[in-house]
Amino acid sequence: MAATGQIEMMGNRLEFDYSESVTGYVLVLTRIITGYWFLHAGIGKYMAAEPFSAAGWLVNATGGSPIHGFLAWAGQTPWMLGFTNFMIPLAETLIGLALLVGALTRLAAFGGGVLMAFFYLGNASWSHGVVNGDLFGLMMFVIVGTLAAGRILGLDTYIEEMEFVKQRPKLKYLLG
């Protein structure tokens, strides 16, 4: 493991080495657990006895949500429901797989964060407070994406060394 991080806070640039410390291993473990969580959720939807359908949740379970109107529309609009039912398991599976192997980590973390934001807002009854499992999941994706977790014991380290990526340095924003 040979990863360093750079962050700019309040106009000051900080550089830190997290690959040689316990922090790097905790970050890898966070990436792997988050990846397994999503891979398991996606594959579970494919392996279920009945085909996955988000219709019930979209229409009936999001009543207290600030985006209930949009979610109910998605659940009652056939093409949008079909798209949602196809994309949720596929996205969960691909995001989970990418995080497990540490490839396209930032892109996967962004996708997972978007899904978790929808889950968080959709489950927004917040009767037990605004901090819940969906917010925690969202934070896991933020941590994995911002700290370049794929550069430690992940394929992103090797992908970044490919000539294709070296010729297109902006691709590094999807890796790490």
Side-chain angles (χ1 to χ4, degrees), residues 24-58:
Y25 294 104
V26 169
L27 187 55
V28 168
L29 189 58
T30 302
R31 185 192 84 219
I32 289 171
I33 290 170
T34 306
Y36 173 79
W37 172 41
F38 254 51
L39 181 65
H40 183 267
I43 289 177
K45 288 174 179 63
Y46 287 122
M47 304 296 284
E50 296 184 23
F52 170 73
S53 178
W57 181 78
L58 290 168

Side-chain angles (χ1 to χ4, degrees), residues 94-155:
L94 293 177
I95 289 166
L97 186 60
L99 292 183
L100 278 175
V101 300
L104 299 172
T105 304
R106 285 191 172 138
L107 179 62
F110 177 77
V114 168
L115 283 178
M116 289 310 301
F118 273 107
F119 298 158
Y120 178 70
L121 291 172
N123 291 324
S125 66
W126 296 322
S127 58
H128 299 289
V130 295
V131 177
N132 60 26
D134 295 325
L135 182 60
F136 182 74
L138 174 59
M139 288 309 302
M140 291 297 94
F141 284 110
V142 169
I143 289 167
V144 166
T146 58
L147 294 180
R151 292 185 180 142
I152 306 171
L153 298 177
L155 294 179

Side-chain angles (χ1 to χ4, degrees), residues 30-91:
T30 302
R31 185 192 84 219
I32 289 171
I33 290 170
T34 306
Y36 173 79
W37 172 41
F38 254 51
L39 181 65
H40 183 267
I43 289 177
K45 288 174 179 63
Y46 287 122
M47 304 296 284
E50 296 184 23
F52 170 73
S53 178
W57 181 78
L58 290 168
V59 174
N60 301 316
T62 61
S65 170
I67 59 170
H68 172 69
F70 169 74
L71 296 176
W73 169 81
Q76 295 169 337
T77 305
W79 70 267
M80 188 62 168
L81 180 59
F83 176 76
T84 301
N85 289 341
F86 173 76
M87 285 306 297
I88 296 273
L90 179 63

